[in-house]
Amino acid sequence: MSTTGASATGANVDPLAALASLPGVAESVESVRKAVDRVYGHRIMRRRSNEITGEAALRGSRGSAALSGADWALEEVRRRADFSGDDQARVVGAALRLTAESGELLSIWRQSPLRVLARLHLVAAADNGDAVGRPRRDGETATETPAAGAAGPPLIGLPLPDADEVAGRLDGLARLVIAGSSAPALVTAAVVHGELLALRPFTSHNGLVARAAERIVLIGSGLDPKSVCPPEVGHAELGRAAYAAALDGYASGTPDGMAAWIAHCGRAVELGARESTAVCEALQRGAA
């Protein structure tokens, strides 16, 4: 995406605000706001919000892992204590660790997003040797996770940018985050998510890291401060094919493609909100 690179040189440019004016984006933003408000307005949230947050974390982790090739049933994720047994178990464990870590990094994100991204990769890929916690170098490639191969074709089929392009675009993205924007949180979260997926800056676990970063933006922006609207749930529900197609639109850099990616991310947040609303209803009935 050229927007992030361009922003680094424009003193008063807010490219994210321009994205917010694309056709359909305002409608997506409003739809997300209403869905989030429904969760926060539920009577259960006033008494048991910690339980909703915990359940949302579990379900979001499961969704992110599913997109990375470890599509486990929720109850299997809930009951497991050991996630070291095989490739899929390690992916689920990485997703759970990232969700837990995300909440600890909110205060750092706006000042040092690259430091946060490095930490997220370290948490996700702690056993990957000297490639952990740093961007790819010349000659290094990127794989999603070992488990991804079990789920068919690669989720991200875009050409892999070289190390110099990764460094430049990561710097541009960091400048955008630090500078802030008048754009709605959904737009910023979608750009952070899409840029990290397109770049695949690390040698592994890029999808997990990108989705964790999206969550951080949504929480830190104040849109979902209690983290009860997990977008990972929605991304998984919409499916790998729709996720990949929407990412292609982002990578195209066209107005239609960008708007479609933002709308896709918005729909994912709405579905995450719907999931937590259902949890609230179940708790209210005494069924969960």
Side-chain angles (χ1 to χ4, degrees), residues 125-161:
D127 57 353
N128 278 25
D130 65 357
V132 169
R134 61 160 178 80
R136 290 184 287 109
R137 296 171 180 159
D138 285 337
E140 291 181 333
T141 187
T143 57
E144 172 58 3
T145 61
L155 178 59
I156 305 168
L158 301 172
L160 188 68

Side-chain angles (χ1 to χ4, degrees), residues 26-253:
E27 290 82 357
S28 292
V29 168
E30 179 63 13
S31 186
V32 165
R33 186 191 64 78
K34 289 179 178 178
V36 173
D37 285 350
R38 278 194 292 272
V39 180
Y40 279 84
H42 200 286
R43 60 186 299 180
I44 289 294
M45 279 292 294
R46 293 195 292 272
R47 305 195 308 270
R48 303 174 69 175
S49 64
N50 287 343
E51 291 177 65
I52 308 302
T53 296
E55 192 65 22
L58 185 73
R59 294 173 186 233
S61 299
R62 193 217 71 83
S64 192
L67 286 169
S68 288
D71 192 359
W72 286 16
L74 179 63
E75 291 311 313
E76 177 66 9
V77 179
R78 195 190 304 279
R79 86 171 177 81
R80 279 286 188 108
D82 180 9
F83 295 94
S84 62
D86 55 33
D87 287 342
Q88 289 205 9
R90 284 188 284 273
V91 169
V92 176
L96 289 165
R97 292 193 303 273
L98 282 174
T99 299
E101 188 73 11
S102 295
E104 304 299 317
L105 299 172
L106 293 171
S107 63
I108 306 171
W109 172 254
R110 281 294 300 273
Q111 287 74 42
S112 186
L114 297 185
R115 179 181 164 196
V116 169
L117 293 175
R119 175 62 185 171
L120 290 174
H121 188 249
L122 178 64
V123 168
D127 57 353
N128 278 25
D130 65 357
V132 169
R134 61 160 178 80
R136 290 184 287 109
R137 296 171 180 159
D138 285 337
E140 291 181 333
T141 187
T143 57
E144 172 58 3
T145 61
L155 178 59
I156 305 168
L158 301 172
L160 188 68
D162 63 26
D164 286 343
E165 182 177 353
V166 167
R169 288 172 62 176
L170 276 180
D171 182 65
L173 182 64
R175 288 172 183 262
L176 276 182
V177 171
I178 292 168
S181 173
S182 63
L186 172 64
V187 173
T188 303
V191 168
V192 168
H193 185 175
E195 190 72 353
L196 292 174
L197 284 181
L199 288 177
R200 283 146 293 163
F202 303 107
T203 57
S204 66
H205 298 82
N206 289 292
L208 292 174
V209 168
R211 291 184 288 275
E214 179 187 41
R215 175 187 281 264
I216 287 172
V217 174
L218 294 172
I219 299 169
S221 68
L223 176 65
D224 182 20
K226 294 183 182 294
S227 192
V228 295
C229 303
E232 306 96 325
V233 167
H235 288 304
E237 186 172 334
L238 291 167
R240 290 168 60 92
Y243 190 64
L247 178 62
D248 286 344
Y250 174 88
S252 75

